[in-house]
Amino acid sequence: MIDQLEMIVPDDWHVHLRDGETLNQVIPNTVKTFRRAVVMPNLRIPIATMAAARAYRNRILSACPSRTRFTPLMTAYLTDDISTEELKRGFQEGVFTAAKLYPANATTNSAAGVTDVKHIHSALVAMERIGMPLLIHGEVTDISVDVFDREAVFIERLLKPLRQRYPDLRMVLEHITTEQAVDFVGSADQNLAATITPHHLHINRNAMFAGGLLSDFYCLPVAKREQHRLALRRAATSGDRRFFLGTDSAPHVRSAKETSCGCAGIFNAPYALESYALAFDQEGKLDRLEAFASLHGPAFYGLPVNEERIILQRDKQLVPDLVNGFVPFHAGETLPWRLQPRV
Ligand code: NCD
Ligand code: ZN
């Protein structure tokens, strides 16, 4: 049995850091584990310009604990009227690492998202030409489609046609939750990858209803049946470089989770790597954690692999009910791994 795992410090390829006081409260939880993070642009006022992204990046850096080496990788929020010029310049000047497609009203702060991909045709053509990745929230918003089928239907109705129309566009299907997504990404020849969250490796949809309505397990895309969780585990631990780490840590204050219309999002940043380590260990694939967490992401994004190393110790720890006022994923559970924080 391995008692200590030393690995290249990982990156989080999908995280919500929020803004203002919440940013200050949650950022230490990400930087203690990750060297870089792809920061989602779905603030209340979406990040859709270079100026907004630069200013947000500065606020993130100011909120980091001192002496931290942490690089936020910023993303542009695609809207129906996004400026193609702004996207191109932003990517070429290193302000934007990627652009994010939220179908309008698919999730938190997505009202300004894309109502029809035909509106962003010129942006997609430009991104395809310059190699700028498109990050996709892959759910249809058609209310006649069952909420548990929205990812699978998105693949059929939108992703397949997008792949045909823009074959050289580099795409990441974010936070995948279904066997269909695993199969589709796993059979793609090139230019398509997927992130997988820790929570989708641990919970299926029953977690939301265990003994009552548990909003702490509600996120989007919503967790699916057990067969899907098992498919995600196989994909994450397969060693296939198309699958890599993206926590989708998405904190919401208590009053926004526990209300008549609660927000979607699971705050998993505080124990993210411990959570992945537990899942990989349960699958007998701890030796593949480093590639999933620290190698496949940089390879897809064409970025260097981190130089620092990090140590996970097999050492039990009880996850508290609250971390800075937010309920962390695994609250009240004892995790068998403990990370030696990098800062
Ligand atoms: C995210 C959020 O709260 O910003 N929520 C979530 O459930 N994952 C948005 C998102 O990534 O869908
Ligand atoms: Zn997200």
Side-chain angles (χ1 to χ4, degrees), residues 14 16 40 100 175 248:
H14 181 126
H16 301 268
M40 290 298 122
K100 178 73 191 254
H175 40 52
D248 195 22

Side-chain angles (χ1 to χ4, degrees), residues 191 254 283 305:
N191 295 333
R254 215 64 224 110
E283 297 300 313
V305 169

Side-chain angles (χ1 to χ4, degrees), residues 5 7-10 28-34 269-275 277 309-315 317 335-343:
L5 191 68
M7 58 188 270
I8 295 165
V9 66
N29 299 289
T30 289
V31 304
K32 74 177 183 191
T33 309
F34 299 106
Y271 300 90
L273 197 61
E274 290 91 330
S275 181
R309 302 182 75 79
I310 205 164
I311 292 173
L312 273 167
Q313 210 89 41
R314 197 183 291 276
D315 182 12
Q317 61 174 331
L335 290 176
W337 291 95
R338 183 188 293 271
L339 175 77
Q340 292 181 8
R342 50 182 292 268
V343 285

Side-chain angles (χ1 to χ4, degrees), residues 260-290:
S260 58
C261 187
C263 290
I266 293 179
F267 178 47
N268 59 32
Y271 300 90
L273 197 61
E274 290 91 330
S275 181
Y276 283 115
L278 174 59
F280 276 66
D281 201 9
Q282 287 167 338
E283 297 300 313
K285 298 279 172 54
L286 262 184
D287 56 324
R288 296 205 172 142
L289 179 61
E290 183 181 54

